[in-house]
């Protein structure tokens, strides 16, 4: 199947004409798929009831609303939709992997860029600030300020 998939506003896949940008994205994804294809991606132990096809390693991307600047989420790899508990068991070429925690990433970035100390993760202020709307607001603030540079 096609590595780059474009959905219209109606969520249905649509045809598109290649551009230098789509060709570059496709080449990049082909290179990623080649690396993944040459690796052994498995599990340190297989959880009871897990039905994932561990041979499903070929990635593709889906873009939305008829635009290549919206979406772009990766699909296809068996690990992408696995439960958190199962993802902790993933190995690459026999080596255990680590899943990084990006909770409140934008909030932390905004504090850092503003020269402020990030509140303790357990504090009420931090928990209240780490909501999705706060992350989105910080991202919008950062992006609007970055454009002026």
């Amino acid at each position: 199947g096609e590595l780059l998939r474009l959905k219209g506003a109606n969520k249905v896949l649509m045809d598109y004409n290649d551009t230098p940008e789509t060709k570059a994205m496709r080449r990049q994804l082909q290179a990623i798929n080649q690396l993944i294809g040459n690796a052994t991606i498995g599990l340190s132990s297989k959880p009871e009831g897990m039905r994932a096809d561990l041979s499903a390693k070929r990635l593709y991307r889906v873009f939305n609303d008829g635009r290549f600047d919206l979406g772009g989420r990766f699909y296809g790899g068996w690990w992408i939709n696995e439960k958190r508990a199962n993802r902790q068991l993933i190995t690459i070429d026999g080596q255990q992997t680590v899943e990084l925690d990006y909770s409140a990433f934008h909030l932390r970035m905004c504090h850092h860029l503003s020269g402020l100390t990030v509140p303790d993760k357990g504090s009420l202020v931090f928990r209240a600030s780490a909501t999705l709307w706060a992350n989105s607001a910080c991202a919008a603030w950062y992006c609007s300020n970055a454009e002026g540079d």
Side-chain angles (χ1 to χ4, degrees):
E2 174 58 41
L3 296 179
L4 303 177
R5 301 175 188 186
L6 185 62
K7 288 185 177 181
N10 59 0
K11 311 291 185 208
V12 175
L13 288 175
M14 57 185 282
D15 292 330
Y16 62 90
N17 293 321
D18 265 328
T19 65
E21 179 184 51
T22 60
K23 289 177 183 178
M25 285 191 286
R26 187 176 297 106
R27 280 192 305 273
Q28 182 181 41
L29 194 47
Q30 287 168 335
I32 291 169
N33 278 329
Q34 183 173 359
L35 284 172
I36 291 172
N38 291 333
T40 302
I41 303 175
L43 296 163
S44 55
S45 63
K46 190 162 183 178
E48 188 175 324
M50 182 178 170
R51 297 183 206 151
D53 174 7
L54 301 185
S55 68
K57 299 191 300 183
R58 187 171 181 271
L59 300 179
Y60 62 93
R61 295 182 70 185
V62 177
F63 295 87
N64 301 310
D65 293 336
R67 298 172 44 180
F68 281 102
D69 61 344
L70 293 175
R73 182 170 179 200
F74 288 86
Y75 293 91
W78 64 263
W79 59 89
I80 291 175
N81 292 318
E82 275 304 312
K83 296 176 185 173
R84 178 182 295 257
N86 294 350
R87 290 193 311 263
Q88 295 174 9
L89 303 172
I90 295 173
T91 61
I92 300 176
D93 292 333
Q95 298 292 312
Q96 195 66 43
T97 61
V98 175
E99 184 173 15
L100 300 177
D101 179 5
Y102 287 100
S103 64
F105 172 76
H106 289 107
L107 178 66
R108 291 171 179 274
M109 179 179 64
C110 289
H111 273 83
H112 174 76
L113 291 172
S114 300
L116 301 172
T117 302
V118 177
D120 178 14
K121 194 171 184 175
S123 76
L124 181 60
V125 171
F126 184 84
R127 287 195 313 268
S129 299
T131 60
L132 180 60
W133 67 265
N135 279 326
S136 298
C138 286
W141 169 83
Y142 173 73
C143 292
S144 67
N145 284 315
E147 288 174 2
D149 290 340

